[in-house]
Amino acid sequence: MSAQQAFVIIGAGLAGAKAAEALRDQEIDGRITLIGDETSRPYERPPLSKDYLQGKVERNTIFVHQPGWYAGHDVDLRLGTTVHAIDRDRHEVVLDGGERVRYDKLLIATGASPRRLPLPGANAEQVHYLRHVEDCDRLREVLRTVSRIAIIGAGWIGLEVASAARAADVAVTVVEVASLPLLRVLGPQIAPMFADLHRGHDVDLRLGVGVEEITSAGGAVTGLRLADGTAVEADAVLVGVGATPNTQLAADAGLEVTDGIVVDASLRTSDPDIFAAGDVARAYHPLLGRHIRVEHWANALNQPATAAVAMLGQDARFDALPYFYTDQYDLGMEYTGYTETDGYDQVVVRGDLQRREFIAFWLRERRVLAGMNVNIWDVTDTIQALIRARTPVDTTRLADPTVPLADLAPAP
Ligand SMILES: Cc1cc2nc3c(=O)[nH]c(=O)nc-3n(C[C@H](O)[C@H](O)[C@H](O)COP(=O)(O)OP(=O)(O)OC[C@H]3O[C@@H](n4cnc5c(N)ncnc54)[C@H](O)[C@@H]3O)c2cc1C
């Protein structure tokens, strides 16, 4: 690739920052412009519902790079700047005020935004969402000052905030329309563990019921009115009902979008000069044989290296297995692999579900599709080897903790 190619990255989150780093690692001579609408330099979001929310770590620990890194690596970091349009014909992006920046290769890493709840009362000041560090700072203050919080949605973020709130001695009610927390991801065999975990920490779980209204009096939130006619009293509300990918720019530019920007295994969109990575990308996964969109830290961390290589015109494909983790109270867990709700026919538990020290495996026709280790560590590589092998396993031995897991996985 010739000198002074222009690489533009839209979105200065984890994926954007890692893409700038990966492009520089390729020792290209080109210009790299990283454009983000937030005012903070790129940071990681997982601490926003965990240690940073709980005040256990300082703000300076959440950033992807040191302050001088961008200038030091000749990356033009333009914060507080929104990209309004992609002009594919002219190979330019259009910024606030109409300024245009030319690109030879463009990466879209615009991430996702919290899904809003169009409920009566949802615009009250004490109704919170959690995506940006400023949201987290506000929520920290809420947890310091209120005595009761209602959380709508028992997904990862809702449950992690519940855990942080209990640590701050705030009374917590979690309302979830499904019959169990995390039911869609974990299924009926494993999801009850999370219900028990939170009930064991005095969280009032209201399951199988929707929210009709966020109630207020005198301008202050008083709680929730639920679909079954009951009420929840609360001084503040956190809404954690999932996120939607920020695809508007791509759609307006005529790129293929289906719940995410559709990209191939090299993270290239339907336009050969435009790529997408992170939460916003729906990428073809060679091992799974289908497109998936993954809203996890590890995906945003690792996809950019593949995108950078592909942007330089070399062969690349992203085939890492999805991976994520959570920390709630004294429970730490990692999950790797992929299955749809109806994609598995068996769940095998190895270890002690009651004591929350186990590995769960989701299988189809005795082939491992996904695994989750709870309070057991250093097994992700072995679980991934089992998944990648795609051969039937002996499920009795898989369930037996005395059989080394590595004995079940093929040699690397
Ligand atoms: C509170 C919280 C906790 C999480 N915890 C975990 C966890 O424990 N484990 C895990 O695996 N994952 C976790 N995640 C998910 C993980 O943080 C995301 O997968 C990751 O942040 C995705 O990175 P990204 O760079 O693709 O997108 P983002 O981090 O969303 O960054 C995209 C950036 O682009 C900006 N942008 C969007 N549109 C434009 C535009 N038009 N112009 C300029 N800029 C734009 C956005 O404002 C944002 O700054 C958590 C997420 C949250 C919110």
Side-chain angles (χ1 to χ4, degrees):
M1 185 158 286
S2 63
Q4 291 308 310
Q5 287 265 329
F7 297 88
V8 173
I9 302 163
I10 311 175
L14 177 59
K18 281 292 176 186
E21 182 184 318
L23 283 166
R24 270 296 166 250
D25 281 353
Q26 297 290 323
E27 297 185 0
I28 56 150
D29 185 24
R31 275 182 289 128
I32 302 175
T33 309
L34 174 57
I35 306 167
D37 58 6
E38 294 188 68
T39 50
S40 299
R41 73 180 189 276
Y43 58 90
E44 305 206 1
R45 300 187 199 275
L48 306 188
S49 51
K50 306 178 187 65
D51 285 358
Y52 181 70
L53 178 61
Q54 293 195 37
K56 290 182 181 170
V57 298
E58 297 293 324
R59 192 177 182 126
N60 61 16
T61 62
I62 69 173
F63 295 103
V64 183
H65 296 109
Q66 296 297 317
W69 186 90
Y70 298 92
H73 288 79
D74 199 15
V75 172
D76 183 7
L77 175 61
R78 305 185 60 171
L79 296 175
T81 305
T82 304
V83 175
H84 289 286
I86 301 167
D87 183 338
R88 287 168 58 192
D89 291 338
R90 295 171 63 170
H91 272 58
E92 290 172 345
V93 297
V94 184
L95 313 185
D96 301 316
E99 185 191 344
R100 287 172 168 261
V101 178
R102 192 185 66 78
Y103 66 83
D104 292 298
K105 301 287 176 195
L106 177 68
L107 178 74
I108 306 176
T110 46
S113 299
R115 190 170 291 132
R116 302 271 150 180
L117 270 191
L119 284 176
N123 292 330
E125 200 186 321
Q126 297 87 1
V127 177
H128 300 269
Y129 291 83
L130 184 53
R131 184 81 194 179
H132 298 144
V133 65
E134 293 81 5
D135 302 329
C136 182
D137 288 337
R138 272 192 295 274
L139 193 58
R140 271 170 81 148
E141 185 59 18
V142 167
L143 297 186
R144 227 176 44 77
T145 50
V146 306
S147 52
R148 302 164 304 184
I149 188 167
I151 296 173
I152 305 177
W156 301 112
I157 288 181
L159 295 182
E160 287 177 2
V161 172
S163 163
R166 292 303 300 128
D169 215 17
V170 173
V172 178
T173 305
V174 176
V175 183
E176 166 59 54
V177 76
S179 59
L180 284 166
L182 302 166
L183 181 61
R184 200 177 48 79
V185 195
L186 302 181
Q189 296 88 348
I190 305 298
M193 182 201 69
F194 278 94
D196 292 346
L197 174 72
H198 283 270
R199 288 198 170 116
H201 286 83
D202 296 325
V203 171
D204 181 3
L205 274 185
R206 308 279 185 98
L207 301 173
V209 63
V211 178
E212 296 270 291
E213 182 185 357
I214 298 174
T215 53
S216 297
V221 159
T222 54
L224 308 175
R225 186 166 57 79
L226 306 188
D228 61 5
T230 59
V232 171
E233 293 184 354
D235 315 309
V237 174
L238 173 84
V239 182
V241 293
T244 46
N246 296 324
T247 52
Q248 196 60 50
L249 270 180
D252 290 349
L255 299 172
E256 189 184 347
V257 168
T258 313
D259 180 39
I261 303 172
V262 178
V263 291
D264 64 16
S266 67
L267 308 177
R268 193 186 302 263
T269 67
S270 44
D271 178 325
D273 292 328
I274 305 182
F275 298 74
D279 281 11
V280 78
R282 174 170 290 279
Y284 182 78
H285 196 288
L287 190 71
L288 303 171
R290 51 172 300 180
H291 286 82
I292 58 168
R293 190 171 71 78
V294 179
E295 280 180 9
H296 295 312
W297 168 88
N299 188 64
L301 182 79
N302 295 319
Q303 272 190 341
T306 301
V309 171
M311 287 166 87
L312 295 169
Q314 297 157 22
D315 281 344
R317 57 179 215 158
F318 186 76
D319 68 355
L321 286 166
Y323 163 91
F324 67 92
Y325 62 93
T326 187
D327 296 315
Q328 298 171 30
Y329 312 104
D330 54 358
L331 179 145
M333 80 89 175
E334 298 171 293
Y335 179 109
T336 188
Y338 182 84
T339 176
E340 294 282 325
T341 317
D342 57 358
Y344 58 94
D345 54 24
Q346 189 179 5
V347 177
V348 170
V349 174
R350 174 190 178 90
D352 193 333
L353 193 58
Q354 302 309 318
R355 286 185 50 221
R356 299 184 197 119
E357 208 172 294
F358 66 93
I359 310 174
F361 298 93
W362 286 261
L363 300 94
R364 187 180 187 95
E365 292 165 359
R366 294 194 295 117
R367 290 173 175 84
V368 178
L369 305 173
M372 175 175 100
N373 46 300
V374 173
N375 291 339
I376 289 177
W377 303 109
D378 300 327
V379 290
T380 300
D381 287 349
T382 316
I383 295 172
Q384 292 192 344
L386 280 168
I387 297 169
R388 284 184 181 281
R390 293 202 255 188
T391 47
V393 291
D394 179 336
T395 51
T396 309
R397 296 181 78 219
L398 187 65
D400 182 353
T402 65
V403 177
L405 202 52
D407 287 2
L408 296 157

